[in-house]
Amino acid sequence: MRKRLIKKFLKKKSALIICLNILLIFVWMSNGYSILNAVLNITGTSSIVSNSEEEKLWKPDVKFVNTEQMGNIFFYDIIVHNNSENTCQNWEIKIYDDGNITQSYEYGEKEDGYRVIKNTDWDNRIEPGGSVTITIIFTVSEAVEDKMTIEEYAQYFIENSIKVSGTITELNREGEIIKNGEALLSLKESEIQITNFSVTLDKSYKTEVENERQYIIDITNDTDYDFIKVRANVYLGKDNKMLEVSPSEITCINETNTSFELPFWIQIPKNTTTSIYIMVIAKDKNFIPDIVLAAEI
């Protein structure tokens, strides 16, 4: 099933990036909800920092999920769940630059020996009961094998070198609000609304999960600019549930809506089309979710 999705995605990518995408997409598409029942779950630590008396502290529930291993290359999902009664408005994840670890990509900004991934806009807040998932890739140095296996060191790194923190300080939504049905996004600087896209129910999708449906979002860039980064908000309502977005680097799932960002290595050049796949639990066979999209240019 996953291979079929990969082929659909790759048919619309240029030959210059197929070799990279075929590796990365395979992994991202294999780190969905169903894997969580079969792979290693590690309870993470959290570090709470308050910058002012007005900020209310928030203690997240953190899990690390090993979704794939290729030799000494590890793929992990950092899953941050908000089990409080308040909305987390301002979260951040700090990844320590360990001397035995090479991070495959320069996530976020570098600060005091850490790579910092943070919530930079209102749309990625985590509502009560909601969660945010960030995918990271890193390589373990072979030098650690004198003391422990690379698998043991990967687990050690995950448990000791990643800190999650946040506050429930009330934030005001900034930027122009774009809307499609009940789906909403606030535009950042250098972003435009994507208007040329379609959402279709994949009637050929096969699954053993009751009421699970796959939808295909075809995004066409008919502008004069390349889309450097794409964000989306999907409104499902209370009766439906988001299971997975493929591919996705940051996915924030809340009670009625889901926000996600495509991996930074997926860009949509002008005059091209890219497909995104979302898996949803929806009892209504004819349900089509509201979706709004924005692109950094």
Side-chain angles (χ1 to χ4, degrees):
M1 183 183 302
R2 298 296 179 187
K3 290 181 179 178
R4 178 170 56 82
L5 297 182
I6 296 166
K7 290 178 181 178
K8 288 182 180 180
F9 188 84
L10 288 177
K11 281 192 336 185
K12 300 178 182 179
K13 307 302 288 181
S14 73
L16 293 176
I17 57 174
I18 283 180
C19 291
L20 174 62
N21 282 345
I22 198 167
L23 169 63
L24 294 177
I25 292 170
F26 175 79
V27 177
W28 251 284
M29 285 186 172
S30 65
N31 68 357
Y33 74 100
S34 59
I35 288 178
L36 304 186
N37 294 323
V39 297
L40 175 65
N41 286 276
I42 304 172
T43 301
T45 59
S46 61
S47 174
I48 310 301
V49 179
S50 176
N51 295 322
S52 73
E53 294 182 357
E54 296 179 358
E55 292 182 342
K56 297 180 181 179
L57 301 182
W58 172 74
K59 187 173 183 178
D61 175 23
V62 184
K63 289 185 177 180
F64 303 101
V65 180
N66 178 204
T67 60
E68 189 74 25
Q69 179 183 348
M70 296 180 179
N72 61 342
I73 302 175
F74 292 83
F75 295 72
Y76 271 86
D77 280 350
I78 305 172
I79 303 174
V80 183
H81 179 69
N82 184 2
N83 55 5
S84 74
E85 297 179 353
N86 301 294
T87 297
C88 176
Q89 307 281 3
N90 187 24
W91 55 264
E92 73 174 26
I93 297 172
K94 287 186 173 182
I95 307 173
Y96 180 64
D97 280 348
D98 189 311
N100 292 309
I101 295 292
T102 302
Q103 296 182 43
S104 297
Y105 303 102
E106 295 185 349
Y107 302 98
E109 300 294 329
K110 193 167 186 178
E111 299 178 7
D112 299 327
Y114 286 87
R115 282 286 173 185
V116 182
I117 306 169
K118 62 180 66 177
N119 174 23
T120 57
D121 67 275
W122 190 89
D123 301 301
N124 275 345
R125 70 202 189 287
I126 313 175
E127 296 174 0
S131 63
V132 61
T133 299
I134 293 89
T135 301
I136 64 170
I137 310 171
F138 60 87
T139 302
V140 177
S141 169
E142 295 179 357
V144 306
E145 292 181 337
D146 290 339
K147 297 181 179 179
M148 60 181 71
T149 66
I150 59 172
E151 290 80 10
E152 290 172 338
Y153 198 89
Q155 179 171 335
Y156 173 82
F157 169 73
I158 285 292
E159 291 179 321
N160 293 276
S161 299
I162 296 179
K163 296 182 179 180
V164 181
S165 63
T167 67
I168 57 174
T169 306
E170 189 65 31
L171 300 178
N172 295 321
R173 193 174 207 159
E174 298 180 356
E176 177 188 354
I177 306 300
I178 57 176
K179 184 176 181 180
N180 181 26
E182 296 297 324
L184 299 170
L185 272 181
S186 50
L187 286 182
K188 300 180 185 180
E189 187 177 355
S190 301
E191 281 188 331
I192 61 172
Q193 182 174 3
I194 299 174
T195 57
N196 191 349
F197 70 93
S198 63
V199 184
T200 56
L201 175 64
D202 183 0
K203 295 183 179 180
S204 66
Y205 181 66
K206 305 297 183 181
T207 177
E208 296 181 357
V209 180
E210 184 178 7
N211 297 322
E212 179 184 355
R213 311 190 193 284
Q214 176 174 276
Y215 298 85
I216 304 172
I217 309 171
D218 290 317
I219 305 171
T220 299
N221 183 355
D222 58 357
T223 72
D224 294 328
Y225 309 95
D226 293 339
F227 291 167
I228 299 173
K229 192 160 198 175
V230 174
R231 298 190 302 127
N233 180 258
V234 181
Y235 181 82
L236 299 171
K238 292 186 177 181
D239 296 330
N240 305 301
K241 179 182 179 182
M242 179 69 73
L243 297 177
E244 181 181 356
V245 179
S246 295
S248 163
E249 182 178 11
I250 298 178
T251 303
C252 189
I253 299 177
N254 289 306
E255 183 179 15
T256 61
N257 66 91
T258 296
S259 296
F260 65 87
E261 298 179 14
L262 297 192
F264 65 90
W265 43 266
I266 293 183
Q267 300 184 2
I268 309 177
K270 56 186 177 182
N271 302 319
T272 63
T273 298
T274 292
S275 298
I276 309 302
Y277 303 88
I278 62 174
M279 275 58 79
V280 174
I281 295 292
K283 294 182 180 180
D284 183 357
K285 294 181 180 179
N286 299 313
F287 173 74
I288 298 294
D290 293 339
I291 298 176
V292 63
L293 294 153
E296 181 181 340
I297 58 174

